[in-house]
mmCIF file of all heavy atoms in Angstrom:
data_model
loop_
_atom_site.group_PDB
_atom_site.id
_atom_site.type_symbol
_atom_site.label_atom_id
_atom_site.label_comp_id
_atom_site.label_asym_id
_atom_site.label_seq_id
_atom_site.Cartn_x
_atom_site.Cartn_y
_atom_site.Cartn_z
ATOM 1 N N VAL C 1 -35.817 41.082 14.691
ATOM 2 C CA VAL C 1 -36.395 41.674 13.498
ATOM 3 C C VAL C 1 -35.574 41.423 12.300
ATOM 4 O O VAL C 1 -34.403 41.538 12.298
ATOM 5 C CB VAL C 1 -36.517 43.212 13.709
ATOM 6 C CG1 VAL C 1 -37.135 43.795 12.418
ATOM 7 C CG2 VAL C 1 -37.390 43.620 14.913
ATOM 8 N N LEU C 2 -36.309 40.836 11.270
ATOM 9 C CA LEU C 2 -35.605 40.542 9.933
ATOM 10 C C LEU C 2 -36.069 41.718 9.058
ATOM 11 O O LEU C 2 -37.264 41.790 8.738
ATOM 12 C CB LEU C 2 -36.060 39.170 9.443
ATOM 13 C CG LEU C 2 -35.358 37.988 10.094
ATOM 14 C CD1 LEU C 2 -35.973 36.673 9.449
ATOM 15 C CD2 LEU C 2 -33.827 38.024 9.893
ATOM 16 N N LEU C 3 -35.236 42.541 8.676
ATOM 17 C CA LEU C 3 -35.630 43.856 8.006
ATOM 18 C C LEU C 3 -35.084 43.901 6.596
ATOM 19 O O LEU C 3 -33.847 43.757 6.372
ATOM 20 C CB LEU C 3 -35.128 44.952 8.854
ATOM 21 C CG LEU C 3 -35.346 46.359 8.297
ATOM 22 C CD1 LEU C 3 -36.918 46.693 8.210
ATOM 23 C CD2 LEU C 3 -34.627 47.436 9.285
ATOM 24 N N ASP C 4 -35.912 44.261 5.689
ATOM 25 C CA ASP C 4 -35.413 44.444 4.315
ATOM 26 C C ASP C 4 -34.931 45.964 4.166
ATOM 27 O O ASP C 4 -35.578 46.841 4.846
ATOM 28 C CB ASP C 4 -36.616 44.185 3.338
ATOM 29 C CG ASP C 4 -36.166 44.343 1.805
ATOM 30 O OD1 ASP C 4 -34.962 44.102 1.524
ATOM 31 O OD2 ASP C 4 -37.035 44.791 0.940
ATOM 32 N N GLN C 5 -33.985 46.168 3.282
ATOM 33 C CA GLN C 5 -33.474 47.511 3.118
ATOM 34 C C GLN C 5 -34.388 48.335 2.141
ATOM 35 O O GLN C 5 -34.785 49.523 2.497
ATOM 36 C CB GLN C 5 -32.098 47.539 2.717
ATOM 37 C CG GLN C 5 -31.575 48.756 1.972
ATOM 38 C CD GLN C 5 -31.753 50.120 2.834
ATOM 39 O OE1 GLN C 5 -31.706 50.020 4.062
ATOM 40 N NE2 GLN C 5 -31.799 51.204 2.143
ATOM 41 N N SER C 6 -34.665 47.843 1.048
ATOM 42 C CA SER C 6 -35.351 48.686 -0.059
ATOM 43 C C SER C 6 -36.800 48.439 -0.063
ATOM 44 O O SER C 6 -37.291 47.288 -0.443
ATOM 45 C CB SER C 6 -34.702 48.263 -1.421
ATOM 46 O OG SER C 6 -33.351 48.470 -1.437
ATOM 47 N N MET C 7 -37.523 49.350 0.402
ATOM 48 C CA MET C 7 -39.026 49.322 0.478
ATOM 49 C C MET C 7 -39.668 50.659 0.076
ATOM 50 O O MET C 7 -39.007 51.667 0.319
ATOM 51 C CB MET C 7 -39.496 48.853 1.845
ATOM 52 C CG MET C 7 -39.043 47.524 2.281
ATOM 53 S SD MET C 7 -39.715 47.033 3.913
ATOM 54 C CE MET C 7 -38.670 48.306 4.884
ATOM 55 N N PRO C 8 -40.841 50.594 -0.542
ATOM 56 C CA PRO C 8 -41.516 51.968 -0.752
ATOM 57 C C PRO C 8 -41.838 52.491 0.568
ATOM 58 O O PRO C 8 -42.121 51.889 1.545
ATOM 59 C CB PRO C 8 -42.718 51.556 -1.559
ATOM 60 C CG PRO C 8 -42.962 50.064 -1.271
ATOM 61 C CD PRO C 8 -41.655 49.525 -1.043
ATOM 62 N N GLY C 9 -42.076 53.931 0.614
ATOM 63 C CA GLY C 9 -42.303 54.557 1.865
ATOM 64 C C GLY C 9 -41.114 54.524 2.762
ATOM 65 O O GLY C 9 -40.163 55.149 2.443
ATOM 66 N N MET C 10 -41.306 54.007 3.934
ATOM 67 C CA MET C 10 -40.255 54.042 4.871
ATOM 68 C C MET C 10 -39.172 53.035 4.451
ATOM 69 O O MET C 10 -39.636 51.776 4.314
ATOM 70 C CB MET C 10 -40.761 53.691 6.345
ATOM 71 C CG MET C 10 -41.539 54.774 6.899
ATOM 72 S SD MET C 10 -42.132 54.326 8.630
ATOM 73 C CE MET C 10 -40.656 54.444 9.578
ATOM 74 N N ASP C 11 -38.027 53.352 4.128
ATOM 75 C CA ASP C 11 -36.940 52.283 3.855
ATOM 76 C C ASP C 11 -36.364 51.668 5.120
ATOM 77 O O ASP C 11 -36.768 51.974 6.205
ATOM 78 C CB ASP C 11 -35.828 52.948 3.020
ATOM 79 C CG ASP C 11 -35.007 54.007 3.709
ATOM 80 O OD1 ASP C 11 -35.307 54.176 5.009
ATOM 81 O OD2 ASP C 11 -34.193 54.591 3.019
ATOM 82 N N GLY C 12 -35.404 50.766 4.914
ATOM 83 C CA GLY C 12 -34.776 50.024 5.997
ATOM 84 C C GLY C 12 -34.276 51.009 7.128
ATOM 85 O O GLY C 12 -34.369 50.693 8.317
ATOM 86 N N VAL C 13 -33.582 52.052 6.688
ATOM 87 C CA VAL C 13 -32.816 52.907 7.667
ATOM 88 C C VAL C 13 -33.947 53.586 8.520
ATOM 89 O O VAL C 13 -33.787 53.755 9.785
ATOM 90 C CB VAL C 13 -32.042 53.967 6.947
ATOM 91 C CG1 VAL C 13 -31.499 55.042 7.906
ATOM 92 C CG2 VAL C 13 -30.907 53.365 6.223
ATOM 93 N N ALA C 14 -35.090 54.073 7.935
ATOM 94 C CA ALA C 14 -36.091 54.792 8.662
ATOM 95 C C ALA C 14 -36.862 53.865 9.613
ATOM 96 O O ALA C 14 -37.126 54.198 10.806
ATOM 97 C CB ALA C 14 -37.109 55.374 7.667
ATOM 98 N N VAL C 15 -37.083 52.597 9.127
ATOM 99 C CA VAL C 15 -37.824 51.635 10.028
ATOM 100 C C VAL C 15 -36.819 51.216 11.253
ATOM 101 O O VAL C 15 -37.232 51.310 12.386
ATOM 102 C CB VAL C 15 -38.095 50.351 9.222
ATOM 103 C CG1 VAL C 15 -38.740 49.299 10.171
ATOM 104 C CG2 VAL C 15 -39.094 50.697 8.154
ATOM 105 N N PHE C 16 -35.568 50.978 10.945
ATOM 106 C CA PHE C 16 -34.647 50.667 11.962
ATOM 107 C C PHE C 16 -34.593 51.781 12.961
ATOM 108 O O PHE C 16 -34.601 51.464 14.271
ATOM 109 C CB PHE C 16 -33.198 50.531 11.317
ATOM 110 C CG PHE C 16 -32.089 50.228 12.417
ATOM 111 C CD1 PHE C 16 -31.816 48.943 12.642
ATOM 112 C CD2 PHE C 16 -31.403 51.235 12.963
ATOM 113 C CE1 PHE C 16 -30.820 48.680 13.620
ATOM 114 C CE2 PHE C 16 -30.433 51.052 13.889
ATOM 115 C CZ PHE C 16 -30.128 49.721 14.224
ATOM 116 N N THR C 17 -34.479 53.012 12.639
ATOM 117 C CA THR C 17 -34.429 54.052 13.627
ATOM 118 C C THR C 17 -35.734 54.135 14.502
ATOM 119 O O THR C 17 -35.510 54.410 15.656
ATOM 120 C CB THR C 17 -34.312 55.433 12.747
ATOM 121 O OG1 THR C 17 -33.076 55.425 11.927
ATOM 122 C CG2 THR C 17 -34.240 56.686 13.713
ATOM 123 N N GLU C 18 -36.887 54.015 13.865
ATOM 124 C CA GLU C 18 -38.141 53.963 14.608
ATOM 125 C C GLU C 18 -38.213 52.893 15.563
ATOM 126 O O GLU C 18 -38.607 53.044 16.784
ATOM 127 C CB GLU C 18 -39.357 54.085 13.677
ATOM 128 C CG GLU C 18 -39.507 55.351 12.957
ATOM 129 C CD GLU C 18 -39.564 56.596 13.844
ATOM 130 O OE1 GLU C 18 -40.352 56.553 14.745
ATOM 131 O OE2 GLU C 18 -38.919 57.553 13.516
ATOM 132 N N LEU C 19 -37.860 51.699 15.281
ATOM 133 C CA LEU C 19 -37.812 50.488 16.083
ATOM 134 C C LEU C 19 -36.920 50.603 17.228
ATOM 135 O O LEU C 19 -37.308 50.386 18.346
ATOM 136 C CB LEU C 19 -37.475 49.230 15.302
ATOM 137 C CG LEU C 19 -38.414 48.855 14.080
ATOM 138 C CD1 LEU C 19 -38.005 47.443 13.539
ATOM 139 C CD2 LEU C 19 -39.855 48.733 14.647
ATOM 140 N N ARG C 20 -35.743 51.289 17.052
ATOM 141 C CA ARG C 20 -34.751 51.411 18.105
ATOM 142 C C ARG C 20 -35.252 52.515 19.035
ATOM 143 O O ARG C 20 -34.893 52.553 20.210
ATOM 144 C CB ARG C 20 -33.446 51.754 17.461
ATOM 145 C CG ARG C 20 -32.679 50.405 17.025
ATOM 146 C CD ARG C 20 -32.211 49.619 18.204
ATOM 147 N NE ARG C 20 -31.698 48.401 17.914
ATOM 148 C CZ ARG C 20 -30.346 48.192 17.595
ATOM 149 N NH1 ARG C 20 -29.562 49.310 17.634
ATOM 150 N NH2 ARG C 20 -29.902 47.011 17.276
ATOM 151 N N LYS C 21 -36.054 53.504 18.522
ATOM 152 C CA LYS C 21 -36.624 54.469 19.481
ATOM 153 C C LYS C 21 -37.621 53.848 20.434
ATOM 154 O O LYS C 21 -37.739 54.266 21.536
ATOM 155 C CB LYS C 21 -37.345 55.585 18.651
ATOM 156 C CG LYS C 21 -36.397 56.604 17.970
ATOM 157 C CD LYS C 21 -37.264 57.597 17.131
ATOM 158 C CE LYS C 21 -36.305 58.555 16.398
ATOM 159 N NZ LYS C 21 -37.058 59.565 15.597
ATOM 160 N N ILE C 22 -38.346 52.866 19.849
ATOM 161 C CA ILE C 22 -39.272 52.167 20.681
ATOM 162 C C ILE C 22 -38.673 51.229 21.727
ATOM 163 O O ILE C 22 -39.095 51.162 22.899
ATOM 164 C CB ILE C 22 -40.360 51.368 19.827
ATOM 165 C CG1 ILE C 22 -41.132 52.322 18.938
ATOM 166 C CG2 ILE C 22 -41.271 50.567 20.646
ATOM 167 C CD1 ILE C 22 -41.833 51.643 17.735
ATOM 168 N N ARG C 23 -37.714 50.546 21.230
ATOM 169 C CA ARG C 23 -36.997 49.560 22.044
ATOM 170 C C ARG C 23 -35.515 49.404 21.650
ATOM 171 O O ARG C 23 -35.211 48.895 20.591
ATOM 172 C CB ARG C 23 -37.629 48.248 21.963
ATOM 173 C CG ARG C 23 -37.102 47.185 22.955
ATOM 174 C CD ARG C 23 -37.824 45.897 22.831
ATOM 175 N NE ARG C 23 -36.847 44.741 23.120
ATOM 176 C CZ ARG C 23 -37.048 43.506 22.685
ATOM 177 N NH1 ARG C 23 -38.145 43.116 22.178
ATOM 178 N NH2 ARG C 23 -36.140 42.634 22.866
ATOM 179 N N SER C 24 -34.600 50.102 22.406
ATOM 180 C CA SER C 24 -33.250 50.276 22.056
ATOM 181 C C SER C 24 -32.466 49.002 21.954
ATOM 182 O O SER C 24 -31.375 48.914 21.345
ATOM 183 C CB SER C 24 -32.584 51.167 22.916
ATOM 184 O OG SER C 24 -32.516 50.685 24.331
ATOM 185 N N ASP C 25 -32.938 47.804 22.536
ATOM 186 C CA ASP C 25 -32.152 46.595 22.671
ATOM 187 C C ASP C 25 -32.604 45.584 21.704
ATOM 188 O O ASP C 25 -32.147 44.466 21.737
ATOM 189 C CB ASP C 25 -32.128 46.096 24.059
ATOM 190 C CG ASP C 25 -33.555 45.546 24.543
ATOM 191 O OD1 ASP C 25 -34.528 46.175 24.001
ATOM 192 O OD2 ASP C 25 -33.597 44.657 25.299
ATOM 193 N N ILE C 26 -33.561 45.829 20.841
ATOM 194 C CA ILE C 26 -34.063 44.850 19.870
ATOM 195 C C ILE C 26 -33.022 44.474 18.781
ATOM 196 O O ILE C 26 -32.527 45.413 18.072
ATOM 197 C CB ILE C 26 -35.416 45.330 19.195
ATOM 198 C CG1 ILE C 26 -35.951 44.227 18.271
ATOM 199 C CG2 ILE C 26 -35.198 46.599 18.408
ATOM 200 C CD1 ILE C 26 -36.451 43.000 18.984
ATOM 201 N N PRO C 27 -32.684 43.177 18.696
ATOM 202 C CA PRO C 27 -31.634 42.882 17.610
ATOM 203 C C PRO C 27 -32.285 42.882 16.292
ATOM 204 O O PRO C 27 -33.424 42.522 16.064
ATOM 205 C CB PRO C 27 -31.363 41.397 17.955
ATOM 206 C CG PRO C 27 -31.842 41.127 19.399
ATOM 207 C CD PRO C 27 -33.014 42.135 19.557
ATOM 208 N N VAL C 28 -31.666 43.529 15.413
ATOM 209 C CA VAL C 28 -32.128 43.746 13.938
ATOM 210 C C VAL C 28 -31.163 43.101 13.001
ATOM 211 O O VAL C 28 -30.029 43.549 12.997
ATOM 212 C CB VAL C 28 -32.288 45.182 13.729
ATOM 213 C CG1 VAL C 28 -32.818 45.405 12.170
ATOM 214 C CG2 VAL C 28 -33.305 45.928 14.663
ATOM 215 N N LEU C 29 -31.630 42.229 12.248
ATOM 216 C CA LEU C 29 -30.824 41.565 11.095
ATOM 217 C C LEU C 29 -31.316 42.037 9.815
ATOM 218 O O LEU C 29 -32.459 41.904 9.497
ATOM 219 C CB LEU C 29 -30.893 40.065 11.320
ATOM 220 C CG LEU C 29 -30.218 39.191 10.261
ATOM 221 C CD1 LEU C 29 -28.749 39.463 10.240
ATOM 222 C CD2 LEU C 29 -30.612 37.685 10.423
ATOM 223 N N LEU C 30 -30.389 42.699 9.074
ATOM 224 C CA LEU C 30 -30.768 43.268 7.827
ATOM 225 C C LEU C 30 -30.553 42.301 6.614
ATOM 226 O O LEU C 30 -29.577 41.692 6.601
ATOM 227 C CB LEU C 30 -29.993 44.531 7.518
ATOM 228 C CG LEU C 30 -30.646 45.452 6.410
ATOM 229 C CD1 LEU C 30 -31.792 46.248 6.888
ATOM 230 C CD2 LEU C 30 -29.495 46.319 5.807
ATOM 231 N N ALA C 31 -31.483 42.238 5.725
ATOM 232 C CA ALA C 31 -31.354 41.438 4.478
ATOM 233 C C ALA C 31 -31.402 42.396 3.270
ATOM 234 O O ALA C 31 -32.290 43.256 3.195
ATOM 235 C CB ALA C 31 -32.500 40.324 4.422
ATOM 236 N N SER C 32 -30.519 42.253 2.361
ATOM 237 C CA SER C 32 -30.463 43.036 1.227
ATOM 238 C C SER C 32 -29.673 42.340 -0.029
ATOM 239 O O SER C 32 -28.880 41.506 0.265
ATOM 240 C CB SER C 32 -29.866 44.331 1.503
ATOM 241 O OG SER C 32 -29.642 45.204 0.378
ATOM 242 N N GLY C 33 -30.117 42.757 -1.143
ATOM 243 C CA GLY C 33 -29.272 42.310 -2.377
ATOM 244 C C GLY C 33 -28.050 43.115 -2.601
ATOM 245 O O GLY C 33 -27.224 42.757 -3.360
ATOM 246 N N PHE C 34 -27.922 44.320 -1.939
ATOM 247 C CA PHE C 34 -26.717 45.095 -2.070
ATOM 248 C C PHE C 34 -25.631 44.492 -1.158
ATOM 249 O O PHE C 34 -25.903 43.735 -0.268
ATOM 250 C CB PHE C 34 -27.012 46.584 -1.486
ATOM 251 C CG PHE C 34 -27.917 47.348 -2.443
ATOM 252 C CD1 PHE C 34 -29.115 47.794 -1.964
ATOM 253 C CD2 PHE C 34 -27.582 47.538 -3.734
ATOM 254 C CE1 PHE C 34 -29.994 48.575 -2.856
ATOM 255 C CE2 PHE C 34 -28.424 48.257 -4.615
ATOM 256 C CZ PHE C 34 -29.574 48.780 -4.108
ATOM 257 N N SER C 35 -24.440 44.921 -1.419
ATOM 258 C CA SER C 35 -23.303 44.351 -0.723
ATOM 259 C C SER C 35 -23.246 44.830 0.668
ATOM 260 O O SER C 35 -23.817 45.894 1.070
ATOM 261 C CB SER C 35 -21.910 44.653 -1.428
ATOM 262 O OG SER C 35 -21.635 46.122 -1.204
ATOM 263 N N LYS C 36 -22.415 44.158 1.483
ATOM 264 C CA LYS C 36 -22.302 44.485 2.913
ATOM 265 C C LYS C 36 -21.711 45.860 3.084
ATOM 266 O O LYS C 36 -22.137 46.650 3.982
ATOM 267 C CB LYS C 36 -21.388 43.456 3.576
ATOM 268 C CG LYS C 36 -21.401 43.631 5.085
ATOM 269 C CD LYS C 36 -20.571 42.594 5.763
ATOM 270 C CE LYS C 36 -20.460 42.711 7.368
ATOM 271 N NZ LYS C 36 -19.823 41.561 7.842
ATOM 272 N N GLU C 37 -20.673 46.147 2.187
ATOM 273 C CA GLU C 37 -20.118 47.485 2.305
ATOM 274 C C GLU C 37 -21.042 48.672 2.105
ATOM 275 O O GLU C 37 -21.029 49.619 2.754
ATOM 276 C CB GLU C 37 -18.852 47.567 1.352
ATOM 277 C CG GLU C 37 -17.629 46.779 1.779
ATOM 278 C CD GLU C 37 -17.837 45.231 1.700
ATOM 279 O OE1 GLU C 37 -18.678 44.797 0.889
ATOM 280 O OE2 GLU C 37 -17.198 44.561 2.502
ATOM 281 N N VAL C 38 -21.850 48.496 1.058
ATOM 282 C CA VAL C 38 -22.966 49.477 0.742
ATOM 283 C C VAL C 38 -23.837 49.603 1.904
ATOM 284 O O VAL C 38 -24.136 50.801 2.338
ATOM 285 C CB VAL C 38 -23.649 49.064 -0.527
ATOM 286 C CG1 VAL C 38 -24.896 50.080 -0.846
ATOM 287 C CG2 VAL C 38 -22.769 49.140 -1.692
ATOM 288 N N ILE C 39 -24.290 48.524 2.483
ATOM 289 C CA ILE C 39 -25.348 48.594 3.579
ATOM 290 C C ILE C 39 -24.653 49.229 4.840
ATOM 291 O O ILE C 39 -25.247 50.042 5.434
ATOM 292 C CB ILE C 39 -25.840 47.169 3.848
ATOM 293 C CG1 ILE C 39 -26.578 46.625 2.706
ATOM 294 C CG2 ILE C 39 -26.602 47.100 5.189
ATOM 295 C CD1 ILE C 39 -27.907 47.514 2.419
ATOM 296 N N LEU C 40 -23.501 48.852 5.175
ATOM 297 C CA LEU C 40 -22.795 49.405 6.357
ATOM 298 C C LEU C 40 -22.562 50.881 6.247
ATOM 299 O O LEU C 40 -22.582 51.519 7.268
ATOM 300 C CB LEU C 40 -21.445 48.648 6.608
ATOM 301 C CG LEU C 40 -21.582 47.227 7.083
ATOM 302 C CD1 LEU C 40 -20.239 46.639 7.410
ATOM 303 C CD2 LEU C 40 -22.636 47.026 8.190
ATOM 304 N N GLU C 41 -22.369 51.249 4.915
ATOM 305 C CA GLU C 41 -22.230 52.762 4.746
ATOM 306 C C GLU C 41 -23.505 53.422 4.997
ATOM 307 O O GLU C 41 -23.544 54.557 5.679
ATOM 308 C CB GLU C 41 -21.751 52.964 3.328
ATOM 309 C CG GLU C 41 -21.611 54.559 2.963
ATOM 310 C CD GLU C 41 -20.561 55.210 3.802
ATOM 311 O OE1 GLU C 41 -19.587 54.588 4.397
ATOM 312 O OE2 GLU C 41 -20.636 56.491 3.886
ATOM 313 N N ARG C 42 -24.629 52.854 4.584
ATOM 314 C CA ARG C 42 -25.948 53.498 4.760
ATOM 315 C C ARG C 42 -26.414 53.474 6.211
ATOM 316 O O ARG C 42 -27.055 54.326 6.722
ATOM 317 C CB ARG C 42 -27.062 52.829 3.860
ATOM 318 C CG ARG C 42 -26.837 52.997 2.449
ATOM 319 C CD ARG C 42 -27.920 52.328 1.598
ATOM 320 N NE ARG C 42 -27.760 52.463 0.205
ATOM 321 C CZ ARG C 42 -28.610 52.017 -0.725
ATOM 322 N NH1 ARG C 42 -29.661 51.347 -0.361
ATOM 323 N NH2 ARG C 42 -28.363 52.177 -1.966
ATOM 324 N N PHE C 43 -25.952 52.485 6.943
ATOM 325 C CA PHE C 43 -26.260 52.353 8.423
ATOM 326 C C PHE C 43 -25.199 52.744 9.321
ATOM 327 O O PHE C 43 -25.281 52.274 10.489
ATOM 328 C CB PHE C 43 -26.758 50.818 8.648
ATOM 329 C CG PHE C 43 -28.155 50.466 8.186
ATOM 330 C CD1 PHE C 43 -28.441 50.283 6.869
ATOM 331 C CD2 PHE C 43 -29.155 50.472 9.117
ATOM 332 C CE1 PHE C 43 -29.659 49.959 6.525
ATOM 333 C CE2 PHE C 43 -30.492 50.076 8.638
ATOM 334 C CZ PHE C 43 -30.727 49.865 7.346
ATOM 335 N N LYS C 44 -24.321 53.492 8.792
ATOM 336 C CA LYS C 44 -23.122 53.782 9.525
ATOM 337 C C LYS C 44 -23.477 54.463 10.870
ATOM 338 O O LYS C 44 -24.245 55.455 10.920
ATOM 339 C CB LYS C 44 -22.198 54.722 8.703
ATOM 340 C CG LYS C 44 -20.770 54.913 9.365
ATOM 341 C CD LYS C 44 -19.954 55.642 8.241
ATOM 342 C CE LYS C 44 -18.446 55.598 8.779
ATOM 343 N NZ LYS C 44 -17.551 56.237 7.804
ATOM 344 N N GLY C 45 -23.066 53.922 11.941
ATOM 345 C CA GLY C 45 -23.292 54.582 13.342
ATOM 346 C C GLY C 45 -24.593 54.128 13.924
ATOM 347 O O GLY C 45 -24.893 54.526 15.044
ATOM 348 N N LEU C 46 -25.391 53.261 13.175
ATOM 349 C CA LEU C 46 -26.737 52.804 13.700
ATOM 350 C C LEU C 46 -26.683 51.529 14.458
ATOM 351 O O LEU C 46 -27.760 51.016 14.812
ATOM 352 C CB LEU C 46 -27.714 52.861 12.576
ATOM 353 C CG LEU C 46 -27.937 54.251 11.951
ATOM 354 C CD1 LEU C 46 -29.022 54.167 10.845
ATOM 355 C CD2 LEU C 46 -28.549 55.156 12.992
#
């Protein structure tokens, strides 16, 4: 899955959480204009 972070409605974190509930082993690659440090903080523990 190639996933954007900033979207209206469900954002990247919400989508990621739901996809992993459906299938826990799906590889997810996040794409964002924000820095890696900002993204890893938002997805901390995920």
Side-chain angles (χ1 to χ4, degrees):
V1 177
L2 286 176
L3 177 63
D4 185 31
Q5 158 57 23
S6 301
M7 296 181 291
M10 294 180 71
D11 65 3
V13 174
V15 175
F16 177 90
T17 302
E18 290 303 312
L19 296 184
R20 280 290 176 83
K21 286 180 181 177
I22 299 168
R23 186 179 143 197
S24 63
D25 66 329
I26 182 67
V28 179
L29 177 60
L30 193 83
S32 176
F34 291 121
S35 72
K36 184 176 183 178
E37 284 71 29
V38 171
I39 291 302
L40 293 186
E41 177 65 21
R42 292 185 180 179
F43 281 77
K44 196 169 185 178
L46 294 181

